[in-house]
Amino acid sequence: MINKKVADIFYEVADMLELDEIDFKPRAYRRAARTIESMKEDILEYYKNENLRDIEGIGKALEEKIIEIIEEGRLEYLNDLKKKYPPGLLDVMKVPDIGPKTARKLFDELDVSDFKSLKKAAEADEISKIKGFGEKTQEKILRGIDMLEKISGRHLLNEVLPLADSLIEYLEPDAEMIEKAGSLRRSKETIGDVDILASGDSSKLMDSFSDYADVDEVLVKGETKTSVRMLGGVQADLRVVDKESFGAALQYFTGSKEHNVELRQIAIDQGYKLNEYGLFSKNDEKKVAGEDEESIYEKLGMDWIPPELRENRGEIEAARNSELPQLVEIDDIKGDLQCHSDWSDGVNTILEVGRAAQEKGYEYIAITDHSESLTVAGGLDKQEIQEREEEIRSAQEELDIKLLSGIEVDIKKDGSLDMDHETLEGLDIVLGAVHSNFRMEVEDQTKRITDAFSTGLIDIFAHPTGRKIGEREPYKVDMREIVKSAKDNSVVLEINASPQRLDLDSLDAREAKDKGVLISLGTDAHGLQHLDFMKYGVGIARRGWLEKDDVINTLSYEELIDFLKER
Ligand code: DGT
Ligand code: CA
Ligand code: CA
Ligand code: ZN
């Protein structure tokens, strides 16, 4: 769809205009971009019917610009804006704490024109000397640069998975076999590029792939591999192999590299050679396996290893000893344990949320609106919690699914909770979370959280490190202490399934499991479409070696209520 391209150009225009300190125009562009981006219909249809102005927020000026993008494939206005300011300033503005005003000032005073010159200026201690900036701002900018370098070129799962799924659906009729490979198959937290493996008529598959509507540019096209850049910038590789070596290729291109290196060594030690074509006997070069993955692992003397575990973190030894975990699956999940309604910052009513969760086949969903001190998110006070109770009761009458009346209570700076204890005790489920004062010393932050645990009122500690991938570093805590205290106080730790959080990450989740701490999954939904994030949370749980019994969302409603009462 061309919608994405138009939206991206409008976002860029908005950012460039903000550099120019124009007040209302950027907002109009940004609003139009958001509308166009979220429309189900292709705006090409509007263009053909000459009714683009029926779209909300599109007047004459924006209509003309959309037509230009559709007809010319570019927008002259944006090109002009880019002549006025270096386009690299858009990258500078991606650093947290740098808005258009700051970017402009850095440009005017220090000639900062792109990410590279920003880094140079910060490292040369030049930024701290600008009036009104200081050491602290420079520190923050340096930290932001560091974080962006880590994520650079990587994408969030919700940006990539739907795209890969539609692509596979589109290619399926041309393929004998087709599968995701690479980090996407391993459910990694972020994705570098999409790897797809197929067998079938190669020239037909490669042609279909290159012709796909969401392909922006074909980078390399060959008989065995074609690489493209999709609209929005995600790269995708399609590899086509013979059916006889599909399993070997799938194993190879699923990775991880670390897992493969280890596996290849084991093959050598046992007198084999392992590559993307198969497993071969070293003496006579005879192929002993390769059509499917299972037979390769079997010949090497181990159980088949689920892709999420293939990181060379002990899975090979476990597979040899038949000690791999029985990983939790999406179908084991009976409910969602974090979501927000329109009582705080969610967009849907409690009934709408309940209905959507019911349609997903859940037994229950916890409504966990924010508490009072989170004013930006419309946090609830004691009175409002009681009013909300009425609405939960009446929504419950309309539903088969069970609603849990809950809260995401703020843990304040001193470790106390942002709600009186009696009210908290009256709720079905209490999530505790840190939403402010992220930059405390590690000892203080840890104590703040463990103090909150020892009130005995917190059932689940939500998004335990507070990270937002590509936007905010985790706050500094001693995770071993947190896990220990969670164990002592029977607090459950959350894997937040929102693709930008995925927090706990898989390593911390595994550490928690090893120490006997239970995990809960919550999508943190603020709109109905977010309820679909559950699969990303399950992916992290699996990467963390978690089994069904480690995750409280696999409990039935009665079991869950008993558990919450007894803990
Ligand atoms: P990404 O794309 O950065 O999120 O991570 P991956 O794991 O998808 O990596 P990618 O796309 O570079 O390659 C896909 C898989 O192909 C990778 O997981 C393992 C395999 N592979 C690629 N290059 C090598 C290599 O040099 N050695 C080995 N053993 N395997 C490789
Ligand atoms: Ca990849
Ligand atoms: Ca790749
Ligand atoms: Zn939260």
Side-chain angles (χ1 to χ4, degrees):
M1 278 216 292
I2 190 125
N3 295 34
K4 170 104 182 113
K5 183 167 184 171
V6 174
D8 284 350
I9 290 180
F10 280 8
Y11 279 128
E12 274 198 38
V13 169
D15 288 341
M16 295 304 285
L17 284 172
E18 266 176 358
L19 278 173
D20 224 6
E21 294 179 68
I22 295 175
D23 259 354
F24 65 96
K25 258 181 152 180
R27 237 178 303 149
Y29 275 95
R30 199 157 278 136
R31 196 171 336 113
R34 258 199 301 273
T35 307
I36 292 169
E37 193 175 40
S38 60
M39 276 168 59
K40 282 203 184 69
E41 307 84 16
D42 197 326
I43 57 165
L44 213 52
E45 292 301 315
Y46 285 84
Y47 165 76
K48 285 181 197 150
N49 299 329
E50 298 185 9
N51 62 348
L52 281 164
R53 279 159 82 173
D54 290 353
I55 301 170
E56 202 186 308
I58 307 295
K60 189 162 182 303
L62 290 180
E63 178 193 26
E64 278 170 6
K65 297 204 162 57
I66 295 174
I67 292 174
E68 186 185 335
I69 295 168
I70 291 174
E71 291 179 353
E72 313 288 333
R74 51 134 184 83
L75 184 64
E76 202 51 40
Y77 182 49
L78 177 61
N79 295 347
D80 289 344
L81 284 169
K82 282 185 175 171
K83 280 178 205 145
K84 205 161 169 192
Y85 297 102
L89 282 182
L90 293 178
D91 297 328
V92 171
M93 282 193 280
K94 292 207 179 96
V95 177
D97 301 308
I98 300 188
K101 282 212 179 76
T102 308
R104 177 72 193 277
K105 200 153 182 193
L106 291 166
F107 173 63
D108 290 343
E109 307 249 339
L110 297 175
D111 262 344
V112 165
S113 59
D114 54 19
F115 194 76
K116 215 169 135 197
S117 50
L118 173 73
K119 188 176 174 185
K120 218 170 130 202
E123 282 174 347
D125 195 17
E126 288 171 359
I127 293 178
S128 67
K129 305 209 167 83
I130 305 178
K131 214 175 136 204
F133 275 52
E135 293 279 343
K136 259 202 164 141
T137 310
Q138 181 168 284
E139 270 292 301
K140 277 192 212 168
I141 289 174
L142 276 167
R143 264 202 301 267
I145 289 171
D146 209 44
M147 187 184 63
L148 284 175
E149 281 184 334
K150 262 188 249 155
I151 183 127
S152 119
R154 303 194 64 80
H155 307 273
L156 298 180
L157 276 168
N158 62 322
E159 215 182 310
V160 173
L161 186 68
L163 188 151
D165 284 340
S166 344
L167 184 55
I168 286 180
E169 196 184 12
Y170 160 84
L171 290 171
E172 221 148 30
D174 291 334
E176 238 182 292
M177 284 192 279
I178 187 157
E179 288 267 6
K180 280 175 271 217
S183 51
L184 200 53
R185 184 160 181 246
R186 303 199 313 279
S187 293
K188 225 182 139 182
E189 282 91 337
T190 60
I191 304 297
D193 70 354
V194 173
D195 299 282
I196 295 173
L197 187 71
S199 73
D201 181 344
S202 159
S203 67
K204 204 168 165 195
L205 276 162
M206 295 312 190
D207 284 347
S208 302
F209 184 46
S210 320
D211 290 344
Y212 188 52
D214 284 357
V215 165
D216 191 22
E217 195 186 340
V218 178
L219 304 169
V220 212
K221 190 173 173 189
E223 204 183 315
T224 54
K225 181 184 170 188
T226 294
S227 295
V228 303
R229 195 184 48 240
M230 314 273 285
L231 294 170
V234 178
Q235 278 198 30
D237 296 341
L238 173 66
R239 293 183 179 86
V240 178
V241 299
D242 288 341
K243 194 167 172 256
E244 297 74 50
S245 45
F246 190 83
L250 185 60
Q251 198 292 316
Y252 182 89
F253 291 113
T254 295
S256 66
K257 201 169 152 188
E258 291 74 13
H259 173 89
N260 287 355
V261 167
E262 183 77 11
L263 205 66
R264 229 169 13 232
Q265 187 56 48
I266 288 174
I268 291 167
D269 294 346
Q270 299 185 6
Y272 294 115
K273 193 180 83 185
L274 176 63
N275 58 31
E276 64 262 52
Y277 303 104
L279 183 68
F280 300 88
S281 158
K282 222 167 189 175
N283 303 329
D284 51 7
E285 308 244 310
K286 200 172 153 271
K287 188 162 163 179
V288 296
E291 197 168 343
D292 55 60
E293 280 190 334
E294 284 81 357
S295 57
I296 295 171
Y297 284 103
E298 191 190 311
K299 279 279 185 308
L300 294 174
M302 59 186 88
D303 294 341
W304 176 82
I305 301 175
E308 295 91 338
L309 301 183
R310 299 184 195 171
E311 300 289 348
N312 197 23
R313 292 175 182 161
E315 73 279 7
I316 291 177
E317 200 190 325
R320 285 174 125 171
N321 299 332
S322 286
E323 284 172 352
L324 284 171
Q326 196 69 42
L327 298 179
V328 62
E329 291 175 20
I330 186 85
D331 289 341
D332 296 328
I333 302 302
K334 300 207 167 85
D336 193 332
L337 292 175
Q338 178 170 186
C339 85
H340 301 262
S341 76
D342 61 359
W343 279 84
S344 61
D345 57 347
V347 296
N348 297 98
T349 65
I350 291 171
L351 184 59
E352 286 167 344
V353 173
R355 282 220 173 96
Q358 187 166 305
E359 270 163 33
K360 291 185 75 67
Y362 286 151
E363 273 185 40
Y364 49 84
I365 183 161
I367 311 289
T368 56
D369 288 303
H370 289 286
S371 67
E372 194 179 0
S373 67
L374 210 60
T375 44
V376 288
L380 309 186
D381 62 19
K382 179 181 173 161
Q383 180 62 31
E384 288 163 317
I385 284 281
Q386 266 152 24
E387 288 164 23
R388 194 190 63 161
E389 212 59 43
E390 282 302 307
E391 190 171 320
I392 290 183
R393 249 196 298 274
S394 73
Q396 184 64 77
E397 283 172 18
E398 310 275 318
L399 297 165
D400 299 324
I401 186 180
K402 295 288 187 198
L403 298 175
L404 276 80
S405 171
I407 192 167
E408 183 182 6
V409 65
D410 238 32
I411 297 174
K412 293 198 277 195
K413 194 177 175 194
D414 61 1
S416 67
L417 303 181
D418 178 35
M419 180 65 69
D420 69 278
H421 291 191
E422 204 188 334
T423 306
L424 290 176
E425 273 162 1
L427 291 164
D428 296 326
I429 191 164
V430 175
L431 274 59
V434 167
H435 290 115
S436 58
N437 298 102
F438 294 117
R439 288 186 178 140
M440 288 162 61
E441 293 299 322
V442 59
E443 297 81 21
D444 300 334
Q445 193 69 274
T446 306
K447 187 169 184 303
R448 166 191 190 178
I449 293 163
T450 54
D451 280 356
F453 286 4
S454 50
T455 60
L457 289 162
I458 293 178
D459 298 310
I460 296 170
F461 182 39
H463 45 72
T465 77
R467 73 147 169 199
K468 284 194 169 174
I469 301 171
E471 196 179 301
R472 190 168 70 212
E473 286 288 331
Y475 42 75
K476 296 195 186 76
V477 284
D478 183 341
M479 194 43 77
R480 299 179 79 98
E481 276 302 308
I482 302 272
V483 167
K484 191 168 164 292
S485 172
K487 176 72 188 160
D488 293 344
N489 294 290
S490 317
V491 173
V492 176
L493 298 181
E494 183 185 66
I495 294 177
N496 192 291
S498 169
Q500 205 180 24
R501 291 189 183 270
L502 298 177
D503 167 25
L504 297 177
D505 67 15
S506 56
L507 287 172
D508 285 339
R510 189 169 168 190
E511 155 91 8
K513 176 205 166 107
D514 288 346
K515 297 282 148 50
V517 171
L518 292 169
I519 298 291
S520 88
L521 297 175
T523 60
D524 208 344
H526 287 72
L528 299 182
Q529 72 279 17
H530 299 157
L531 294 170
D532 292 338
F533 290 163
M534 187 56 86
K535 55 179 175 279
Y536 305 126
V538 172
I540 299 305
R542 291 170 64 87
R543 285 177 64 80
W545 294 52
L546 301 191
E547 308 189 275
K548 193 175 168 188
D549 289 348
D550 300 317
V551 177
I552 64 170
N553 308 59
T554 65
L555 299 174
S556 70
Y557 174 71
E558 285 77 23
E559 288 167 341
L560 178 68
I561 291 296
D562 285 347
F563 167 79
L564 291 169
K565 269 192 200 124
E566 279 163 27
R567 64 154 283 279

